[in-house]
Amino acid sequence: DQQVKQNSPSLSVQEGRISILNCDYTNSMFDYFLWYKKYPAEGPTFLISISSIKDKNEDGRFTVFLNKSAKHLSLHIVPSQPGDSAVYFCAAEPETSGSRLTFGEGTQLTVNP
Amino acid sequence: DVKVTQSSRYLVKRTGEKVFLECVQDMDHENMFWYRQDPGLGLRLIYFSYDVKMKEKGDIPEGYSVSREKKERFSLILESASTNQTSMYLCASSFGGRPNYGYTFGSGTRLTVV
């Protein structure tokens, strides 16, 4: 039972354009969401997060949007850069679990020069 | 600079061997986690620990055990390695409580069981 789903295994965009990565969840108890970025042969690194009391959080080129009614969140990267090429994981945490995260399958983003 | 260190980057073990994967963090984090990463399956939680000598099963604990004798160290044990345990293993740690400021991950151990 995949509670966090990233339906696009891969995404390819041109440098300078917008990258939009999507994530859906099924567990209505999730109330905190995070995005991680992973380069090959490295561990994932924290990118940005959002609490369920917000619908948008922005950090430089990265913005995360949360639509609670649709149980959907997205990560926007503007403008995309070749160094953004990595696997992006969406993660979610229910309010009762302490800090246990459930991760999606990941989306491989490729930004072409 | 905060760090989670996994003892080996690459390991090759034989079927049936007992395998130890070690993880050490220097951030005084309460929580530690073991995940495995497989293509198309993302990161799946094997075991986690919220305190010394405490452990909880994750989503896929079968075939694994863990040990946390000291706060900074969390070991994953494959009791009798099998080929379906060939995977990338990732250790992570975090502060307890809310909000969750995110995990710090180690660089991973690529385990191949032959």
Side-chain angles (χ1 to χ4, degrees):
Chain A
D1 176 27
Q2 190 72 20
Q3 296 185 63
V4 178
K5 281 205 67 69
Q6 296 175 252
N7 289 313
S8 297
S10 63
L11 175 68
S12 183
V13 300
Q14 286 299 120
E15 182 178 4
R17 308 293 282 268
I18 184 171
S19 296
I20 300 176
L21 295 94
N22 293 303
C23 177
D24 296 295
Y25 62 96
T26 58
N27 188 342
S28 57
M29 297 300 292
F30 288 146
D31 71 339
Y32 196 76
F33 304 90
L34 306 92
W35 285 93
Y36 284 80
K37 178 168 74 173
K38 185 181 186 299
Y39 294 116
E42 294 183 15
T45 55
F46 171 73
L47 190 58
I48 192 169
S49 64
I50 187 167
S51 165
S52 60
I53 62 173
K54 295 185 174 182
D55 55 17
K56 177 183 174 181
N57 188 28
E58 194 171 350
D59 183 3
R61 296 186 296 115
F62 302 91
T63 303
V64 56
F65 295 92
L66 175 61
N67 182 333
K68 282 182 62 180
S69 61
K71 293 190 176 68
H72 176 83
L73 64 155
S74 60
L75 174 68
H76 292 210
I77 306 173
V78 182
S80 301
Q81 299 173 354
D84 295 329
S85 297
V87 177
Y88 288 79
F89 290 100
C90 170
E93 178 189 41
E95 59 185 343
T96 57
S97 82
S99 63
R100 170 180 173 168
L101 297 179
T102 299
F103 286 83
E105 303 95 328
T107 297
Q108 171 70 57
L109 173 66
T110 302
V111 180
N112 301 301
Chain B
D1 193 20
V2 296
K3 250 191 185 168
V4 175
T5 303
Q6 294 183 231
S7 54
S8 303
R9 292 300 298 269
Y10 300 94
L11 274 179
V12 180
K13 296 292 182 180
R14 294 194 179 276
T15 301
E17 274 192 78
K18 191 168 186 176
V19 181
F20 293 85
L21 302 183
E22 305 288 344
C23 176
V24 177
Q25 52 98 359
D26 64 1
M27 297 162 285
D28 201 34
H29 282 169
E30 288 86 3
N31 305 328
M32 296 189 76
F33 306 85
W34 276 105
Y35 285 84
R36 61 179 282 179
Q37 181 193 359
D38 300 289
L41 297 175
L43 303 177
R44 293 181 293 166
L45 181 63
I46 305 171
Y47 266 97
F48 59 103
S49 170
Y50 289 146
D51 202 350
V52 176
K53 297 199 185 286
M54 175 271 177
K55 60 186 178 184
E56 293 278 350
K57 292 180 179 179
D59 299 318
I60 52 165
E62 297 77 19
Y64 303 94
S65 62
V66 290
S67 172
R68 193 166 181 199
E69 296 295 319
K70 294 185 178 181
K71 188 175 185 179
E72 66 270 18
R73 186 179 296 271
F74 192 37
S75 303
L76 179 69
I77 304 154
L78 285 66
E79 297 293 341
S80 176
S82 64
T83 54
N84 64 11
Q85 292 178 310
T86 291
S87 186
M88 168 68 84
Y89 289 87
L90 291 160
C91 176
S93 69
S94 72
F95 283 112
R98 299 285 298 240
N100 185 345
Y101 293 110
Y103 291 176
T104 300
F105 280 91
S107 297
T109 296
R110 171 73 65 184
L111 173 67
T112 302
V113 182
V114 297

